[in-house]
Amino acid sequence: MAEQQERKSDLISCFEYLATEARDLYLSEKVPVIDKAPSALTFHRRWVTSNRPVIIKNAVTKWPALEIWNLNYLRETLKQKMVSVAVTPNGLADAVVENQFVLPEEKQMKFCDFVACLENQEENRGIYYIQKQNSNLTLEFPELLEDVAGEIPWASEAFDKKPDAVNLWIGSKESVSSMHKDHFENLYVVITGVKHFILHPPTDQPFIPYEMYPVASYKETYPGEFKVEPNETGDKVKWIPVDPLKPDLGKWPLYGKARPIHCSLHPGEMLYLPSMWYHHVRQGEGTIAVNYWYDMEFDIKFNYFQFVEKLLSTVNDDR
């Protein structure tokens, strides 16, 4: 037991060195901001290859959406159109709740009714959020594509591919995306409102708890009343239980060694969120955003990430 504890301590010290070196060598305490869209070469060389986030201002100045999109415009444009909406009692979709990984209830409803639910949030009690991540902008809302762009040209050139998905997000301040990471290069644009991000680089991986949880889903049994239904297949999902806004360091003490990076994204601003970066997202009231997912390259960075994950699995720690 003593030998195992010593090995664990040595390994954690190595992980701390890794995270500290990353912060000292190429990361910063704040997300850098640049004033205009970069060339494909500059974007790839300065940000993609170093796996660093950046906020880009004036990257989408020609989008009509920046001038015309708001809830009233979208309601008038989409009217009776049936759309997919995630519904939860607490705004936590795809999150660990009471030791289960709970998915939202997905409802089909008229867009005008969705907007009415947003505008009368307290009355309806359930939290409604358009957040289906299957390229819903291109599949469900093709009539809105003329107001934005089907791709980010300089990013497509840098990644040498088209985006795998273009997603539309519309929600209220109650909707929260719990901490997670994606195997995508993410370009996130706010149209109206504000998005608040808490970020962790991949080098914070050893300090972020990941555990297996049984899958369940919310089910609205009566307006404003929900129950949690376990998945009948017995499937489990590996997910992050810690809430970075109020982390329980008694339960996950190693998270105290991580260094979160905070940033906010305002209308017309774009965040490049590199693949494998952990992120937790909140938003302001009536926020509308679009993001572009480009499939990541499963290269040496991914190999190193998997290597660290394997090292972690060899140690019986209670992260």
Side-chain angles (χ1 to χ4, degrees):
M1 180 65 73
E3 183 179 343
Q4 185 182 26
Q5 282 297 113
E6 183 177 354
R7 179 169 172 242
K8 171 184 172 180
S9 179
D10 289 344
L11 190 56
I12 290 172
S13 294
C14 291
F15 290 145
E16 288 186 84
Y17 176 79
L18 172 68
T20 300
E21 283 287 283
R23 288 192 291 267
D24 289 346
L25 291 173
Y26 72 97
L27 296 178
S28 55
E29 294 183 358
K30 295 183 178 180
V31 176
V33 179
I34 58 177
D35 290 329
K36 63 180 181 178
S39 68
L41 178 60
T42 298
F43 175 61
H44 193 272
R45 184 165 54 195
R46 290 197 61 190
W47 310 108
V48 178
T49 58
S50 59
N51 195 242
R52 289 194 299 159
V54 61
I55 292 174
I56 307 166
K57 294 187 174 184
N58 303 308
V60 294
T61 54
K62 296 182 180 180
W63 284 12
L66 293 173
E67 299 294 330
I68 62 178
W69 276 18
N70 55 47
L71 290 180
N72 286 332
Y73 171 82
L74 295 183
R75 172 165 43 201
E76 181 60 27
T77 302
L78 300 171
K79 297 180 180 176
Q80 305 292 310
K81 183 181 182 72
M82 299 298 292
V83 297
S84 302
V85 179
V87 184
T88 64
N90 51 18
L92 289 172
D94 304 335
V96 175
V97 179
E98 296 181 355
N99 216 38
Q100 297 178 92
F101 176 73
V102 186
L103 298 164
E105 180 175 9
E106 187 172 294
K107 289 188 176 183
Q108 294 292 312
M109 60 193 304
K110 296 176 183 177
F111 188 85
C112 58
D113 292 337
F114 162 70
V115 174
C117 289
L118 285 186
E119 292 176 335
N120 300 282
Q121 196 78 76
E122 185 175 343
E123 177 184 332
N124 288 280
R125 290 172 286 184
I127 308 302
Y128 292 72
Y129 193 20
I130 287 181
Q131 56 121 53
K132 194 167 185 178
Q133 299 149 52
N134 64 337
S135 202
N136 67 337
L137 180 59
T138 60
L139 297 176
E140 286 196 67
F141 303 95
E143 52 270 86
L144 299 180
L145 280 172
E146 290 184 358
D147 298 337
V148 290
E151 63 174 313
I152 307 298
W154 44 268
S156 297
E157 182 180 349
F159 296 129
D160 194 25
K161 64 187 73 173
K162 302 291 187 181
D164 273 23
V166 185
N167 303 307
L168 177 66
W169 309 76
I170 307 175
S172 65
K173 64 182 180 180
E174 287 81 10
S175 294
V176 176
S177 296
S178 66
M179 182 79 77
H180 65 287
K181 69 179 189 305
D182 297 311
H183 293 94
F184 293 100
E185 308 289 354
N186 191 351
L187 292 167
Y188 208 108
V189 181
V190 167
I191 308 296
T192 68
V194 61
K195 290 273 185 175
H196 304 290
F197 292 81
I198 299 175
L199 309 178
H200 283 285
T203 46
D204 273 353
Q205 176 192 6
F207 315 127
I208 297 174
Y210 249 112
E211 298 180 7
M212 298 297 294
Y213 295 93
V215 178
S217 301
Y218 285 116
K219 177 68 176 178
E220 191 169 24
T221 57
Y222 187 79
E225 295 182 8
F226 292 79
K227 68 176 180 179
V228 176
E229 293 185 339
N231 189 315
E232 294 181 357
T233 65
D235 291 343
K236 289 191 174 184
V237 166
K238 193 174 185 181
W239 205 256
I240 299 169
V242 70
D243 180 353
L245 294 172
K246 47 180 187 302
D248 184 348
L249 298 182
K251 191 171 185 179
W252 298 293
L254 283 185
Y255 185 72
K257 298 181 182 295
R259 297 275 190 89
I261 301 171
H262 297 256
C263 68
S264 295
L265 205 62
H266 299 92
E269 295 180 339
M270 173 188 290
L271 171 66
Y272 166 54
L273 180 60
S275 56
M276 309 302 284
W277 273 67
Y278 299 92
H279 50 288
H280 172 280
V281 190
R282 295 171 293 131
Q283 60 191 356
E285 199 65 62
T287 296
I288 305 171
V290 175
N291 85 301
Y292 298 78
W293 272 343
Y294 290 83
D295 195 17
M296 68 175 283
E297 293 296 327
F298 290 84
D299 53 16
I300 190 65
K301 293 191 295 291
F302 181 75
N303 292 152
Y304 272 115
F305 190 95
Q306 295 294 91
F307 173 68
V308 171
E309 189 171 70
K310 186 66 175 177
L311 282 178
L312 289 169
S313 69
T314 65
V315 177
N316 183 26
D317 64 48
D318 54 355
R319 295 184 298 153

